[in-house]
Amino acid sequence: MQSKDPKWWKEAVVYQVYPRSFKDSNGDGIGDLQGIISKLDYIKSLGIDVVWLNPIFKSPNADNGYDISDYKSIMDDFGTMDDFDGLLRGLHERNIKLILDLVVNHSSDEHEWFKRSRSSRDDPYHDYYHWWPAEKGKPPYRWSVFDVNANAWQYDATTDAYYLHYFAVKQPDLKWENPRLRQEVYDMMHYWFKKGIDGFRMDVISVISKDIDYPVISKEILDKEYDGFWPNYYAKGPHLHDYLQEMNREVLSHYNIMTVAEGWGVLQEDVLKFVDAGRKELDMLYHFEGMDIRHFPVTNGTHDPKYDLVAFKEVYTKWDKIFAEKGWGTIYLGNHDQSRMVSRWGNDDPQFRELSSKMLSTFLLTMRGTVYYYAGDELGMTSIKFDRIEDYQDIGTINTYQRIEAEHGDVMAFLEDQKIYSRDNGRAAFQWDGSLHAGFTNGKPWLKVNPDHKIVNAATQESDQGSVLNYFRKLVQLRRQNKTLVYGKYSLLDKDNPKVYAYTREDGEKKLLILLNFSSVNATTDTRMNISNAKILLSNYNNKRLTNTNKTVELRPYEALICEL
Ligand code: TEU
Ligand code: CA
């Protein structure tokens, strides 16, 4: 059973740093590499094993670095290659590994390859991208994530042809069908591995292979985004796994590194194709099914929790099962594309913010699978929830707003919705202290800083033993000391309970019971096992207690308990 083979990356806690928002060192309002270097001791103090950095490469920033114009140099805003080398050294000296973002479904339209590609149909680089010659008529419709008109084909007069962009118009899709392009990508990967990086997080790698005949996609499929064209067309390219196997052979297999695919649109039945070790492709994949769980409409009255916890449990249980024998899973509740964990899955009301943050961290650090933890969540940072479109910087929010406005849709409803779902909620600056701009910058921050930094910040929490931050540190240590939490079997208990998430983790040596109240009221759970001798290893309440009558436990609001049976 591969799932039991020990590997360093299975035991790792990955800490995701969004460089633009972490720490600004030169007062231009933008986080940078020297800023991260200045906070390495803080990162080390968390006890984490790996840092994942979002893209740091040269970019005109149409999509905050996910539009790369030179894969082998550093974005001006972030610093220089010397800064990068210093950062990598600083991490390695502290025994922390570094993984970078590999963004190779598309490049920037300002990349040299694309400039040449669009210059002439005869240019050798023309075939590095997907073109549809205009004499064939209009290309069959393809949806685009960030295009104002949601159209992935953009007409370009110089070559009288349309180019494909699944994301923004400034993010043309690279043509993986061209072996020369693939070699360029592999060379670039070798370049970074030779510098000593420890792996890649692979941006929308699931959509790199295209059906280059561009068949018409039926309206029925096109009408459904998440269960329609993404899983059934975009993420099912005919040569996807040939390319990943080739990449493994040519690059990945030469190094002791880790890889994780952003598994957008990947169907459950296809997951193991990516991560079954026997297939020699990638190590891990992270899914979107958890993130696709929506909040109940506000008009339905108050819900507690604000989403269907039974469905939530089903998703994470199902995804645990996929990797029970082969491959290896991942677990996360937030990242740079999502709102803040506590606002979305917990309760950011001042009364419950700390308790529910700790409860959610307990969930993440006690599940099977590699933990991906988003910087700032260890402080219980909350979503910024802008009221006005002018405050947003994210191309996703801005372009969708423009589209809805052009279609005379309900922009107010959209803005309300963005308070829950906009990517900028997770991108406001890291809150170092209670001073102006949260100690993130001396200049004007590129995105407004959350006013709650006066209360929610690292400096205050550092000195408080009971803080969210210090609780996170304890959890990381507990996971490190208990390999049962990494490899042990997961079993869901009391699955229909709408307020409590309860499960066990066990191996030959130990059996642990995890009890999590996802609601703001007292709640009970029936564990159906004898827990009279259970010993509490960690709790998010000061006065630890296990109130049980026989097999039933009563939990206080957002209470989290890790017990040994
Ligand atoms: O994300 C892909 C993606 O599907 C998201 O942008 C999606 O729109 C979002 O999760 C909706 O909530 C990756 C990166 O993580 C993202 O930051 C990039 O913008 C995108 O690819 C393009 O490179
Ligand atoms: Ca800066």
Side-chain angles (χ1 to χ4, degrees):
M1 283 216 311
Q2 283 170 24
S3 311
K4 295 225 164 99
D5 294 346
K7 292 269 190 268
W8 64 264
W9 44 264
K10 293 185 180 174
E11 298 174 17
V13 176
V14 180
Y15 183 69
Q16 183 193 348
V17 171
Y18 194 64
R20 215 174 176 74
S21 304
F22 197 61
K23 175 71 186 166
D24 174 23
S25 71
N26 62 352
D28 66 356
I30 300 172
D32 46 51
L33 300 183
Q34 281 300 337
I36 302 172
I37 291 174
S38 72
K39 295 295 184 185
L40 283 177
D41 289 337
Y42 170 81
I43 294 175
K44 176 68 188 168
S45 78
L46 299 173
I48 57 90
D49 308 279
V50 177
V51 165
W52 154 27
L53 279 189
N54 291 92
I56 52 165
F57 317 99
K58 203 171 185 65
S59 164
N61 280 308
D63 182 21
N64 285 6
Y66 281 94
D67 49 320
I68 297 169
S69 53
D70 181 355
Y71 287 95
K72 292 184 186 168
S73 64
I74 303 294
M75 188 192 298
D76 294 337
D77 289 338
F78 290 169
T80 63
M81 195 57 88
D82 280 347
D83 296 333
F84 173 79
D85 294 337
L87 174 61
L88 183 61
R89 212 177 319 116
L91 285 165
H92 282 172
E93 276 164 13
R94 290 168 180 79
N95 272 320
I96 299 171
K97 296 186 191 289
L98 175 65
I99 67 170
L100 295 181
D101 226 299
L102 182 77
V103 189
V104 289
N105 173 66
H106 43 268
S107 73
S108 163
D109 66 340
E110 296 181 34
H111 194 291
E112 267 321 298
W113 299 337
F114 191 71
K115 289 189 195 160
R116 296 197 49 179
S117 183
R118 78 186 334 173
S119 69
S120 147
R121 288 191 188 185
D122 301 324
D123 192 282
Y125 287 89
H126 186 67
D127 205 32
Y128 270 40
Y129 295 85
H130 296 268
W131 290 98
W132 177 276
E135 61 272 18
K136 283 170 69 181
K138 278 205 161 178
Y141 177 73
R142 289 294 178 274
W143 191 79
S144 158
V145 184
F146 298 141
D147 187 72
V148 187
N149 303 311
N151 183 353
W153 290 106
Q154 174 69 27
Y155 179 71
D156 206 51
T158 317
T159 55
D160 190 29
Y162 299 81
Y163 68 84
L164 185 73
H165 62 93
Y166 278 178
F167 293 87
V169 69
K170 283 181 70 64
Q171 292 169 298
D173 282 43
L174 288 162
K175 191 170 175 188
W176 276 72
E177 290 67 25
N178 180 345
R180 281 184 50 217
L181 178 274
R182 300 205 298 277
Q183 280 310 319
E184 299 257 20
V185 172
Y186 303 153
D187 286 351
M188 177 270 281
M189 293 172 74
H190 278 298
Y191 170 83
W192 288 103
F193 282 130
K194 286 191 177 129
K195 273 190 168 289
I197 69 159
D198 304 288
F200 279 117
R201 172 268 185 188
M202 302 188 176
D203 192 58
V204 285
I205 199 78
S206 48
V207 304
I208 56 172
S209 163
K210 314 287 195 291
D211 179 344
I212 52 175
D213 294 331
Y214 303 110
V216 172
I217 305 179
S218 74
K219 185 167 164 11
E220 195 199 344
I221 290 190
L222 268 178
D223 279 348
K224 290 185 290 170
E225 190 177 320
Y226 293 110
D227 0 287
F229 57 87
W230 280 111
N232 295 306
Y233 181 81
Y234 283 52
K236 260 197 191 296
H239 295 293
L240 174 58
H241 295 283
D242 300 332
Y243 300 154
L244 293 178
Q245 282 170 14
E246 183 183 79
M247 180 198 279
N248 185 296
R249 222 169 32 240
E250 304 247 333
V251 189
L252 305 175
S253 60
H254 300 257
Y255 307 94
N256 174 24
I257 48 102
M258 62 171 266
T259 52
V260 55
E262 186 191 27
W264 209 23
V266 177
L267 292 170
Q268 279 174 54
E269 67 240 40
D270 293 327
V271 177
L272 288 180
K273 291 187 189 149
F274 291 78
V275 298
D276 171 351
R279 289 173 55 88
K280 299 197 181 348
E281 295 190 19
L282 306 176
D283 296 325
M284 291 170 273
L285 171 146
Y286 71 84
H287 66 87
F288 280 68
E289 234 184 294
M291 295 302 131
D292 290 345
I293 296 171
R294 301 276 117 178
H295 277 200
F296 293 121
V298 182
T299 46
N300 272 11
T302 13
H303 287 275
D304 191 31
K306 291 172 266 186
Y307 50 91
D308 183 350
L309 184 69
V310 173
F312 182 97
K313 293 192 275 187
E314 260 167 34
V315 165
Y316 290 99
T317 303
K318 201 165 63 183
W319 278 88
D320 177 82
K321 198 165 169 207
I322 295 177
F323 307 109
E325 313 243 314
K326 285 181 171 172
W328 185 250
T330 60
I331 188 95
Y332 73 102
L333 286 176
N335 60 37
H336 67 293
D337 287 337
Q338 306 295 338
S339 39
R340 279 288 165 188
M341 163 174 101
V342 69
S343 301
R344 177 93 185 264
W345 308 110
N347 188 333
D348 60 11
D349 187 280
Q351 193 188 348
F352 297 119
R353 187 187 57 81
E354 294 180 79
L355 277 174
S356 68
S357 291
K358 291 173 183 171
M359 186 277 290
L360 294 170
S361 291
T362 312
F363 168 67
L364 291 171
L365 276 290
T366 58
M367 288 292 283
R368 180 158 59 179
T370 297
V371 183
Y372 289 80
Y373 199 89
Y374 189 47
D377 283 343
E378 78 274 26
L379 307 176
M381 278 178 57
T382 65
S383 287
I384 192 154
K385 304 181 191 168
F386 291 128
D387 288 314
R388 309 173 326 139
I389 189 67
E390 292 77 18
D391 285 332
Y392 282 102
Q393 298 287 333
D394 175 29
I395 185 171
T397 298
I398 294 170
N399 288 7
T400 308
Y401 182 93
Q402 283 173 8
R403 180 165 82 235
I404 295 174
E405 199 172 42
E407 292 164 352
H408 306 290
D410 190 345
V411 287
M412 290 321 282
F414 173 72
L415 277 181
E416 230 7 73
D417 211 52
Q418 290 299 288
K419 292 182 184 177
I420 306 174
Y421 304 113
S422 172
R423 309 195 299 176
D424 276 346
N425 284 313
R427 296 180 180 184
F430 190 96
Q431 294 165 198
W432 293 104
D433 58 42
S435 70
L436 185 66
H437 307 318
F440 163 67
T441 180
N442 300 324
K444 185 174 180 290
W446 70 275
L447 182 69
K448 278 191 182 167
V449 172
N450 197 322
D452 74 4
H453 70 269
K454 298 220 162 48
I455 298 155
V456 184
N457 65 68
T460 315
Q461 296 193 27
E462 202 60 68
S463 52
D464 171 6
Q465 265 318 302
S467 64
V468 181
L469 172 60
N470 281 317
Y471 184 82
F472 173 71
R473 289 175 171 142
K474 283 179 204 152
L475 273 171
V476 174
Q477 291 316 319
L478 191 75
R479 187 174 175 94
R480 188 181 304 289
Q481 288 149 13
N482 289 276
K483 291 288 173 273
T484 313
L485 288 175
V486 177
Y487 297 107
K489 181 174 155 230
Y490 156 97
S491 316
L492 178 66
L493 309 172
D494 198 8
K495 71 177 173 50
D496 296 321
N497 191 318
K499 291 190 161 59
V500 176
Y501 196 162
Y503 48 96
T504 55
R505 301 293 314 280
E506 66 189 296
D507 52 23
E509 277 166 38
K510 257 185 208 171
K511 183 164 184 174
L512 302 171
L513 170 69
I514 292 94
L515 301 168
L516 309 167
N517 183 355
F518 273 67
S519 82
S520 61
V521 295
N522 288 338
T524 54
T525 176
D526 181 359
T527 64
R528 300 208 181 120
M529 57 175 78
N530 184 358
I531 50 169
S532 46
N533 291 324
K535 182 179 135 217
I536 301 178
L537 300 184
L538 193 64
S539 150
N540 62 346
Y541 270 76
N542 283 338
N543 49 340
K544 289 194 192 93
R545 67 169 207 205
L546 188 59
T547 317
N548 65 83
T549 39
N550 207 355
K551 298 171 181 173
T552 302
V553 185
E554 192 190 37
L555 296 167
R556 292 167 282 183
Y558 297 106
E559 185 160 29
L561 286 169
I562 306 176
C563 309
E564 188 169 345
L565 294 176

